[in-house]
């Protein structure tokens, strides 16, 4: 026979070794825990024995341990803010939000540079970014860091080439003799807001 335990109350998510055979008449549990903040009790059961209920166990928010991505970023086109901005929470070991302010920084994992306000102080345990953008058209991931805490990484998202925004002289013209075509002909590149080449453009440059 084994002694089984189950959470009872606000937090029924009891974790650890929930079934333990008695040794010498004792079942000594060693790793039981609740993740979520609240008041709970534990009920102990064994076959036909009468169950017994513990006194109230109060679980409080622990020290900040890690970052948790609450809202994943969703890309847009180069040079424009993400269509969905990320939100990051500071949490304890059980996943409860820690209210004390922490500075959270958003950075690209590999290519590109994050523009906008990429460094935020949490308010109520959350860093709600509002104007992040990347220039380079590509697949990207962001990593969110805060001093002393376990970082968190976003899922991949895409930044696409946007509509034409500016013209750049890719090749400067070099003149030749009078009445003759230039020795070097100019080349005009069409870029979006992020500096990406717009290759599907229709129209003329004149």
């Amino acid at each position: 026979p084994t002694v089984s335990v189950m959470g009872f109350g606000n937090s029924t998510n009891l974790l650890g070794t929930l079934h333990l055979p008695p040794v010498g008449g004792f079942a000594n549990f060693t790793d039981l825990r609740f993740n979520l903040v609240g008041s709970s009790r534990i009920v102990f059961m064994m076959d036909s024995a009468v169950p017994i209920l513990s006194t109230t166990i109060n679980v409080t928010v622990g020290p900040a341990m890690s970052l948790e991505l609450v809202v994943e970023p969703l890309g847009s086109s180069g040079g424009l803010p993400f269509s969905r901005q990320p939100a990051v929470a500071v949490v304890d070991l059980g996943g409860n939000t820690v209210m004390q302010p922490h500075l959270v920084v958003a950075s690209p994992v590999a290519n590109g540079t994050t523009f906008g306000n990429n460094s935020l102080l949490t308010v109520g345990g959350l860093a709600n970014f509002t104007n992040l953008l990347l220039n380079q058209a590509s697949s990207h991931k962001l990593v969110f860091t805060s001093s002393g805490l376990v970082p968190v990484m976003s899922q991949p998202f895409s930044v696409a080439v946007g509509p034409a925004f500016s013209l750049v002289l890719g090749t400067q013209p070099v003149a030749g003799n009078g009445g003759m075509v230039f020795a070097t002909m100019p080349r005009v590149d069409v870029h979006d807001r992020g500096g990406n080449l717009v290759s599907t453009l229709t129209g003329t440059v004149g």
Side-chain angles (χ1 to χ4, degrees), residues 8-122:
F8 178 81
N10 289 340
S11 178
T12 56
N13 185 26
L14 181 64
L15 302 174
T17 304
L18 305 182
H19 308 281
L20 198 65
V23 176
F26 299 97
N28 290 305
F29 292 89
T30 59
D31 61 351
L32 297 180
R33 66 192 184 278
F34 288 114
N35 277 344
L36 302 181
V37 167
S39 297
S40 304
R41 301 173 76 180
I42 299 175
V43 60
F44 299 86
M45 304 163 290
M46 187 180 74
D47 295 340
S48 59
V50 177
I52 188 172
L53 196 61
S54 74
T55 57
T56 299
I57 301 168
N58 295 311
V59 179
T60 58
V61 178
M65 293 293 294
S66 60
L67 299 179
E68 181 179 284
L69 197 55
V70 179
V71 178
E72 290 276 354
L74 189 63
S76 58
S77 57
L80 291 175
F82 301 154
S83 57
R84 185 174 66 210
Q85 295 286 327
V88 178
V90 177
V91 297
D92 67 5
L93 190 60
N96 302 289
T97 302
V98 178
M99 295 299 179
Q100 289 83 359
H102 289 76
L103 188 67
V104 179
V105 178
S107 307
V109 172
N111 50 340
T113 301
T114 307
F115 294 96
N117 189 6
N118 71 327
S119 179
L120 284 184
L121 202 62
T122 58

